[in-house]
Amino acid sequence: MRLIPTYCPRTTPLHSARAGVSASLLGAFVLAALLFSNPVLLAAVVGGLVLLAAGAGVVADLRRGALLAVPVAIVIVVVNALVYREGAHVIFRGGVILGRRIDITLESAAAGGVAALRLLAIACAFGVYSAAVDPDQMLRLFRRISYRSALTGSLATRLAQVLHRDAERMSEAARCRPRPPGRGRVLLAVLSRSLDRAVDVAAALEVRGYAAARRPLGGRTRWSRHDVRVVSAAALVAGIAVAGRLIGANGFHAYPTISLALGPRELLVAVALLVAGALPAAGRSARLGVAHG
């Protein structure tokens, strides 16, 4: 079972669009998650990403990305509830620890919940990015700026998955021993293996003459209908995020009491985000293997 979302070519519009365009759409959803504090709008961002992932066939990868962020989200809620004592409604009265009274208010828990929901939305966006955006195409964009940096990034993204598989195999092998070693020993073994791989990769690059490589000349290709559809959705999401803040469709205040706005403006923005998430899949899929520069 894969714990980390990984890219797999598919025939969906999000996969078929050029990598920079698909990444811009997911970046627009991240922008919306950062600009909005209203939990209804943050839930709409997550809903738009779910519709986008469903159209791309990567809902399982989105779920993996969200599950990776759940422990951090729980920590955010707990820490915010314990640290901030502002709020008018106390839901738990604790004792005194180190001269500080531990009181948990409904408002501090709600503020932590909003921050956790924002983190989950961003994690969902990165989960879809990892599964639907070709990493080689993304690095091909950056190599026009710095060839060596793009090569380093390509090797890092490739070897991360290899090291993850090494760790899984070593953990399974360790459990088969009469006295299984601790996780620290397994981690040291994976680290040692990573250094061996780094030396092998460096030697291979030196033999193949990558040190003398020059910056490639990038050619221009025509945009496909999937590029147009995905970039339109990206512009729509970014426009919704900016316009929503300008018109005040972000009414939420946790302190001193919880104040949540849920009017026509918020509902309109939420529906627009959902429509934007479903927009890329509103057409036929492209043929697999169409390459973009």
Side-chain angles (χ1 to χ4, degrees), residues 167-207:
E168 290 181 339
R169 287 195 294 265
M170 290 182 182
S171 298
E172 293 175 358
R175 288 194 294 268
C176 296
R177 299 180 61 178
R179 295 182 178 179
R183 293 183 178 181
R185 297 286 298 275
V186 176
L187 180 61
L188 288 176
V190 174
L191 179 61
S192 176
R193 181 59 177 164
S194 67
L195 296 177
D196 293 338
R197 287 186 182 277
V199 173
D200 294 340
V201 171
L205 293 176
E206 183 178 1
V207 170

Side-chain angles (χ1 to χ4, degrees), residues 234-289:
L236 179 60
V237 173
I240 291 170
V242 175
R245 286 301 301 267
L246 292 178
I247 65 176
N250 190 36
F252 175 77
H253 299 284
Y255 305 107
T257 59
I258 298 176
S259 175
L260 174 65
L262 188 58
R265 293 177 297 182
E266 287 77 15
L267 295 177
L268 179 62
V269 171
V271 172
L273 289 172
L274 295 176
V275 172
L279 180 61
R284 296 185 303 173
S285 299
R287 295 180 181 179
L288 183 64

